[in-house]
């Protein structure tokens, strides 16, 4: 799989994969990072030619090469949802599904959603204010032999609701 490079939004104190110096030192949109493996590189250095291995989180990431998307209409808005999942060619693999309530915790749920969308495939991160509980877990039915790690983020009501669903 090829790296997917984007400019800016680099984590602090991250070393360039090419020269070893720190990237993103100045407060401007500069340098690049791979959205999947989080590798960073200076604009002036050559991009690494190696393929992307999804980095340290690969065990929990649903690789973009393993999913097929379809478009659906929800409340007059077109959304992309996962239609099919194929198992990636590496082991161990236990994809994480993050279900977060953006309105809980003094509205800190929004930052939790953003953080996990930055680290994982956005298809694995569900805002439960927009999606009903059963629909949020439908992705698990697409690969029934796969054991998912489900992280529920919210208040007592959110966690209780999903723990009741998991016992069914």
């Amino acid at each position: 799989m090829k790296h997917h490079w984007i400019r800016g939004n680099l984590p602090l104190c991250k070393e360039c994969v090419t020269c070893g110096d720190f990237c993103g030192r100045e407060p401007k949109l500069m340098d690049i990072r791979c959205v999947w493996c989080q590798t960073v590189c200076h604009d002036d250095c050559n991009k690494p030619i190696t393929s992307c291995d999804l980095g340290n989180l690969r065990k929990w990431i649903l690789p973009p090469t393993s999913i097929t998307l379809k478009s659906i209409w929800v409340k007059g808005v077109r959304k992309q949802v996962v239609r099919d999942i194929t198992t990636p060619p590496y082991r161990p693999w236990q994809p994480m599904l993050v279900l977060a309530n953006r309105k809980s915790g003094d509205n800190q749920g929004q930052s939790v959603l953003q953080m996990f969308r930055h680290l994982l495939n956005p298809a694995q991160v569900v805002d439960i204010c927009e999606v009903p509980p059963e629909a949020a877990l439908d992705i698990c039915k697409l690969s029934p032999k796969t054991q998912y790690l489900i992280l529920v983020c919210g208040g007592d009501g959110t966690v209780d609701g999903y723990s009741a669903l998991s016992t069914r």
Side-chain angles (χ1 to χ4, degrees):
M1 183 174 101
K2 291 182 179 180
H3 288 283
H4 182 85
W5 299 105
I6 62 168
R7 180 162 315 287
N9 294 330
L10 304 178
L12 296 174
C13 301
K14 191 84 174 184
E15 292 181 3
C16 173
V17 70
T18 305
C19 71
D21 285 342
F22 289 120
C23 289
R25 289 183 176 179
E26 298 177 39
K28 64 180 185 177
L29 199 57
M30 61 184 292
D31 301 334
I32 57 175
R33 77 173 168 85
C34 175
V35 298
W36 299 114
C37 68
Q38 309 303 319
T39 298
V40 298
C41 184
H42 289 111
D43 290 327
D44 298 335
C45 294
N46 292 325
K47 295 178 196 171
I49 326 171
T50 61
S51 62
C52 179
D53 65 358
L54 300 175
N56 295 336
L57 302 177
R58 75 187 250 157
K59 176 182 178 179
W60 300 289
I61 293 177
L62 186 56
T65 54
S66 294
I67 62 172
T68 307
L69 299 174
K70 67 178 176 180
S71 296
I72 62 168
W73 289 90
V74 178
K75 298 179 185 176
V77 178
R78 193 174 93 173
K79 298 206 174 215
Q80 297 281 323
V81 295
V82 178
R83 181 182 73 192
D84 189 35
I85 297 175
T86 57
T87 304
Y90 57 83
R91 297 284 183 269
W93 184 61
Q94 185 182 17
M96 180 184 288
L97 181 60
V98 178
L99 310 170
N101 184 347
R102 73 169 181 258
K103 295 180 180 178
S104 74
D106 197 24
N107 291 327
Q108 292 180 12
Q110 186 65 35
S111 60
V112 170
L113 288 165
Q114 286 176 333
M115 180 189 67
F116 277 106
R117 285 182 179 137
H118 176 80
L119 296 172
L120 303 172
N121 189 329
Q124 295 173 249
V125 183
V126 180
D127 181 352
I128 61 173
C129 292
E130 297 178 0
V131 179
E134 293 82 8
L137 296 171
D138 279 349
I139 194 170
C140 299
K141 295 177 186 174
L142 296 174
S143 56
K145 294 181 181 178
T146 302
Q147 183 178 7
Y148 283 81
L149 180 62
I150 300 175
L151 176 63
V152 180
C153 307
D156 292 345
T158 303
V159 174
D160 286 345
Y162 280 92
S163 64
L165 270 178
S166 68
T167 58
R168 291 183 195 171

